[in-house]
Amino acid sequence: MEPTRERAWETLTRHTQSEALLRHALAVEASVRAYARRFGEDEEFWGTTALLHDFDWEIHPTLDQHPQDGAAILREEGYPEQMIEAILSHAEHLDVPRDTQLKKTLFACDELSGFIHACALVRPTGLEGMTPKSVKKKLKQPSFAAGVNRDDVYKGAEDLGIDLDEHIAFVIDALQPIAGELGLPTEAATPS
Ligand SMILES: [Fe+2]
Ligand SMILES: [Fe+2]
C-alpha cells in the first residue's frame, strides 16, 4: 500500500468527525511538512505520519487505548511500520524512544501547533503578526489553553535541538498557508 496523503486523509476522516480534531491533524501536518522541507526529508511520508497521529482519538479517547489500539488499525490497513512506530512515539505513556528526526519533529510540533492555534483564535488578526514573545507569555499563563502540556512544548523543542523562539516562529509560518482551513483569518490582501 502506498501511504499517500490522500489515503491518510481517507483513513483520518473515516474515524474522525470533530472539526477541532481535524484542524489539529492539519496543523500538525503543516508544521511537520515544513520541517521535512527544512531538513530535506520525505515530505509526503512525514506529513502523512503527522496527519494520522491522532486519527483514533475520537474512537479511543483515553490513554489506555490511544494511540496503541489505533496502531492495530493502521497495521490492518497496511501502513508502513516506520510510520506506525513514529505515531506511537508521540505518546509519552508508551515510552517509545524518539530516536529519529521524524519522531522528534512530530513530538515537538504536536502540542505547540495546538497552542499556537489557540493563541491565534483569540487574536483579531489570527497568525498575522504573532510573535514568539507573545506565545511564550501565554505559555506562562496556566489557565490559557490549559489542555496543552507546557512541559511537552519545552521538551519537544529541546529534543529537536531548536531554540524555542525559532521553533515557535517556524510553526507560526508553517500554519499561515492553511489559516483558512484552521478557521483563522487569512492574510489580508495588501496593495502592491
Ligand atoms: Fe495523541
Ligand atoms: Fe496530537
Side-chain angles (χ1 to χ4, degrees), residues 26 30 33 36 38 54 66 70 74 78 80-81 87 109 111 117 126 128 152 160 162 164 172 182 184 186 188:
L26 290 170
R33 266 183 185 274
R38 169 170 168 168
D54 278 339
H66 168 77
L74 295 177
E81 204 52 39
I87 289 170
C109 293
E111 295 288 90
H117 190 198
E128 199 53 46
D152 286 357
L160 191 58
I162 295 184
L164 185 60
I172 293 171
L182 298 179
L184 298 170
T186 49

Side-chain angles (χ1 to χ4, degrees), residues 28 32 45-54 66-68 71 74-75 79-92 94-108 110:
V28 181
V32 168
F45 192 92
W46 281 38
T48 301
T49 304
L51 193 66
L52 284 172
H53 82 282
D54 278 339
H66 168 77
Q68 56 275 30
L74 295 177
R75 255 178 218 126
Y79 285 96
E81 204 52 39
Q82 196 195 339
M83 189 173 276
I84 296 169
E85 205 197 299
I87 289 170
L88 288 170
S89 79
H90 89 270
E92 282 285 76
L94 296 180
D95 283 324
V96 175
R98 292 191 194 101
D99 51 7
T100 67
Q101 194 79 336
L102 169 57
K103 291 176 181 174
K104 289 176 186 160
T105 304
L106 177 60
F107 183 72
D110 187 7

Side-chain angles (χ1 to χ4, degrees), residues 124-190:
T125 56
L127 295 162
E128 199 53 46
M130 186 186 289
T131 62
K133 194 178 168 197
S134 69
V135 173
K136 286 202 297 190
K137 202 171 148 195
K138 283 225 163 357
L139 279 169
K140 288 185 188 133
Q141 299 169 9
S143 61
F144 181 81
V148 172
N149 185 320
R150 271 51 173 182
D151 290 343
D152 286 357
V153 171
Y154 300 130
K155 192 173 145 196
E158 211 178 291
D159 291 353
L160 191 58
I162 295 184
D163 169 73
L164 185 60
D165 283 73
E166 191 189 341
H167 182 42
I168 292 170
F170 190 85
V171 171
I172 293 171
D173 281 351
L175 297 183
Q176 238 141 8
I178 62 155
E181 289 168 83
L182 298 179
L184 298 170
T186 49
E187 221 171 322
T190 45

Side-chain angles (χ1 to χ4, degrees), residues 12-13 17 21 27 29 39 56 58 60 67 70 89-90 103 107 115 126 138 142 163-164 175:
L12 172 66
T13 51
Q17 309 302 318
L21 209 47
E29 180 200 18
F39 298 146
D56 69 325
E58 210 166 275
H60 302 143
S89 79
H90 89 270
K103 291 176 181 174
F107 183 72
F115 191 78
K138 283 225 163 357
D163 169 73
L164 185 60
L175 297 183

